């Protein structure tokens, strides 16, 4: 399978690590901090080779980590696919816990580590397996699609998994198979935005079955939101337009439908990164977790990124180089799921990956 995440090669010596990090991060971080962080990065890179570990880094990792230790970086879809393919004995997932769980489900015999126990997610915390069962009872015969930002027990109750990078493709596939009732969990905004993009009606989970169109497909959503992306407002978009009329504004589809309607591009973290790489514009503003803007500014120095650094994901922020070194040295924190749960949670992920 084609590997679409960027493959990062790292040099062995501390001096080379410092030089590499300086070349990427000089405009983003002070030099003394780069040197300090490089010491951790160097130790991690030595240890990961000795332990035959692979490090996967989500696009929201802080710049010092993102540009120093991951073997692969990418969005949740790319990193899920990579976890199914790797030959390493240990997967260190520099991302949040639901991502580590997805890696464990796809590679159950491997040791999967997430460097902090605090790396949660407001979406994953906002729905339970019992909620999914209740919804199935309320809408008999409906197909259940769960965003990858859910825990394993919720995936185990679902028919399909999806990410923000393929939600439309999964729904299109289900419509082609003749499904009319598509329960899309748990992010209300991603559900509304995907339904709007596809011209489908959206209904909240408490809608009565009799209010749904009898013969046409409909998306039924849940009520939780990403605590980071829900904070962006239409006023923020208009402010950027006033200050920089030539800026291209890109937003993650976890933002509200009102925000998505006013921006220029909506897409997953990979889609936003690809856009900045491939489409020439005077400047770019990202409505997403703010580390990603720093990472892109370091990766594409010829591009002008408007830095808006007030919104950080408190969960992604837990993963630091210091914790990643600790994770390797102490082999912590292991993602543990029962065989029975893995067996039930895997088919929805496999169905999603088979549509790539
Ligand atoms: P991506 O799937 O676009 O990488 O995003 C994951 C996420 O948690 C966004 O908040
Ligand atoms: Fe979850 Fe939002 Fe953080 Fe992504 S940014 S991990 S959706 S809380």
């Amino acid at each position: 399978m084609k590997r679409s995440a960027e493959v990062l090669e790292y040099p062995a010596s501390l001096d080379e690590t410092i030089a590499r990090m300086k070349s990427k991060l000089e405009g983003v971080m002070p030099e003394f901090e780069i040197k300090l962080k490089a010491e951790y990065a160097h130790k991690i890179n030595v240890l990961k080779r000795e332990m035959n570990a692979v490090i996967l880094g989500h696009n929201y990792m802080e710049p010092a980590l993102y540009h120093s230790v991951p073997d692969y970086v990418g969005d949740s879809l790319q990193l899920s696919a990579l976890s199914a393919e790797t030959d390493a004995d240990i997967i260190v997932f520099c991302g949040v816990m639901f991502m580590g769980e997805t890696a464990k489900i796809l590679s159950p015999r491997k040791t999967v580590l997430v460097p902090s126990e605090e790396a949660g997610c407001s979406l994953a915390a906002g729905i339970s397996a019992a909620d999914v069962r209740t919804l199935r009872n309320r809408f008999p015969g409906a197909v259940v699609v769960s965003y990858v930002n859910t825990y394993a027990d919720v995936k185990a109750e679902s028919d399909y998994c999806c990410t923000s990078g393929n939600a439309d493709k999964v729904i299109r596939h289900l419509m082609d198979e003749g499904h009319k009732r598509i329960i899309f969990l748990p992010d209300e905004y991603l559900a509304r935005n995907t339904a709007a993009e596809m011209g489908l009606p959206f209904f909240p989970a408490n809608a009565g079955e009799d209010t749904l169109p009898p013969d046409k497909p409909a998306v039924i959503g849940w009520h939780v939101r990403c605590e980071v992306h829900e904070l962006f407002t239409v006023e923020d978009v208009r402010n950027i337009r006033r200050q920089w009329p030539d800026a291209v504004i890109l937003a993650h589809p976890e933002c509200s439908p009102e925000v998505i309607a006013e921006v220029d591009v909506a897409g997953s973290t990979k889609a936003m990164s690809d856009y900045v790489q491939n489409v020439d514009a005077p400047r770019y503003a990202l409505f997403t977790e703010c580390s990603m803007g720093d990472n892109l500014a370091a990766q594409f120095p010829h591009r002008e990124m408007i830095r808006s650094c007030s919104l950080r994901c408190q969960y992604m922020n837990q993963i630091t180089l210091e914790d990643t070194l600790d994770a390797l040295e102490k082999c912590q924190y292991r993602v543990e799921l029962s065989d029975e749960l893995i067996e039930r949670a895997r088919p929805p992920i496999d169905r999603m990956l088979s549509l790539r």
Side-chain angles (χ1 to χ4, degrees), residues 60 96 98 120-123 149 226-229 254 289 313 315-316:
Y60 289 165
V96 290
F98 73 78
C121 169
S122 66
L123 290 174
N149 297 39
C226 161
E227 67 180 42
V228 180
H229 290 92
E254 290 169 6
E289 213 279 351
C313 170
Y315 311 108
M316 292 281 183

Side-chain angles (χ1 to χ4, degrees), residues 233-254:
T233 66
V234 168
E235 198 40 42
D236 299 335
V237 181
R238 293 180 186 163
N239 264 322
I240 299 263
R241 297 255 188 249
R242 265 194 297 275
Q243 224 178 324
W244 294 282
D246 58 358
V248 171
I249 307 181
L250 304 101
H252 196 280
E254 290 169 6

Side-chain angles (χ1 to χ4, degrees), residues 35-93:
K35 285 189 173 154
L36 212 74
K37 296 281 186 181
E39 298 206 3
Y40 288 102
H42 173 62
K43 285 183 188 159
I44 291 167
N45 285 330
V46 170
L47 210 51
K48 83 175 175 195
R49 298 268 183 268
E50 284 171 16
M51 295 171 74
N52 190 25
V54 66
I55 299 188
L56 306 181
H58 186 261
N59 289 329
Y60 289 165
M61 289 296 100
E62 58 162 0
L65 188 155
Y66 183 89
H67 288 287
S68 62
V69 296
D71 298 283
Y72 299 97
V73 292
D75 70 358
S76 35
L77 179 58
Q78 292 171 292
L79 298 179
S80 301
L82 285 163
S83 5
E85 290 175 0
T86 179
D87 297 328
D89 296 321
I90 300 174
I91 299 172
V92 182
F93 214 123

Side-chain angles (χ1 to χ4, degrees), residues 46-340:
V46 170
L47 210 51
K48 83 175 175 195
R49 298 268 183 268
E50 284 171 16
M51 295 171 74
N52 190 25
V54 66
I55 299 188
L56 306 181
H58 186 261
N59 289 329
Y60 289 165
M61 289 296 100
E62 58 162 0
L65 188 155
Y66 183 89
H67 288 287
S68 62
V69 296
D71 298 283
Y72 299 97
V73 292
D75 70 358
S76 35
L77 179 58
Q78 292 171 292
L79 298 179
S80 301
L82 285 163
S83 5
E85 290 175 0
T86 179
D87 297 328
D89 296 321
I90 300 174
I91 299 172
V92 182
F93 214 123
C94 290
V96 290
M97 198 52 81
F98 73 78
M99 297 179 179
E101 282 196 356
T102 307
K104 183 71 183 174
I105 293 164
L106 290 169
S107 290
R109 301 293 149 238
K110 295 192 190 299
T111 299
V112 178
L113 307 176
V114 175
S116 167
E117 284 184 306
E118 311 295 318
C121 169
S122 66
L123 290 174
I127 188 150
S128 68
D131 293 329
V132 185
R133 289 193 290 271
T134 302
L135 285 170
R136 279 201 191 273
N137 286 335
R138 196 176 297 160
F139 300 100
V143 62
V144 176
V145 180
S146 284
Y147 192 24
V148 71
N149 297 39
T150 48
Y151 291 120
D153 56 343
V154 166
K155 290 188 176 77
E157 298 288 338
S158 308
D159 301 302
Y160 273 78
C161 192
C162 78
T163 73
S164 58
N166 63 10
D168 54 345
K169 190 181 270 187
V170 171
I171 292 186
R172 174 79 49 214
H173 170 77
L174 294 172
M175 284 164 60
D176 289 348
E177 287 202 326
H179 291 280
K180 297 278 187 288
R181 301 284 177 263
I182 300 165
I183 299 177
F184 189 107
L185 306 169
D187 184 2
E188 179 194 339
Y189 286 163
L190 181 63
R192 281 184 184 273
N193 288 325
T194 310
E197 182 196 330
M198 302 184 69
L200 295 173
F202 173 89
F203 292 85
N206 59 3
E209 168 67 52
D210 53 343
T211 63
L212 273 53
D215 301 321
K216 293 202 187 101
V219 173
I220 300 154
W222 191 239
H223 56 262
V224 295
R225 299 165 186 174
C226 161
E227 67 180 42
V228 180
H229 290 92
E230 72 170 346
L231 299 179
F232 289 104
T233 66
V234 168
E235 198 40 42
D236 299 335
V237 181
R238 293 180 186 163
N239 264 322
I240 299 263
R241 297 255 188 249
R242 265 194 297 275
Q243 224 178 324
W244 294 282
D246 58 358
V248 171
I249 307 181
L250 304 101
H252 196 280
E254 290 169 6
C255 292
S256 74
E258 294 75 20
V259 165
I260 295 298
E262 294 222 4
V263 300
D264 301 301
V265 180
S268 70
T269 56
K270 176 185 186 307
M272 290 189 278
S273 166
D274 287 351
Y275 188 95
V276 172
Q277 179 172 17
N278 300 324
V279 182
D280 209 9
R283 63 198 91 237
Y284 311 79
L286 293 187
F287 278 30
T288 194
E289 213 279 351
C290 70
S291 279
M292 190 168 150
D294 288 337
N295 290 335
L296 292 183
Q299 202 170 345
F300 308 117
H302 56 296
R303 301 297 203 206
E304 191 175 328
M305 308 296 300
I306 297 168
R307 309 295 257 284
S308 56
C309 251
S310 47
L311 295 184
R312 278 235 64 192
C313 170
Q314 58 164 320
Y315 311 108
M316 292 281 183
N317 211 4
Q318 295 291 329
I319 310 295
T320 61
L321 281 167
E322 292 84 335
D323 289 332
T324 305
L325 179 58
D326 254 11
L328 277 168
E329 284 177 342
K330 298 177 187 158
C331 219
Q332 69 182 22
Y333 295 94
R334 285 169 186 253
V335 178
E336 307 279 10
L337 299 171
S338 72
D339 289 347
E340 182 267 338

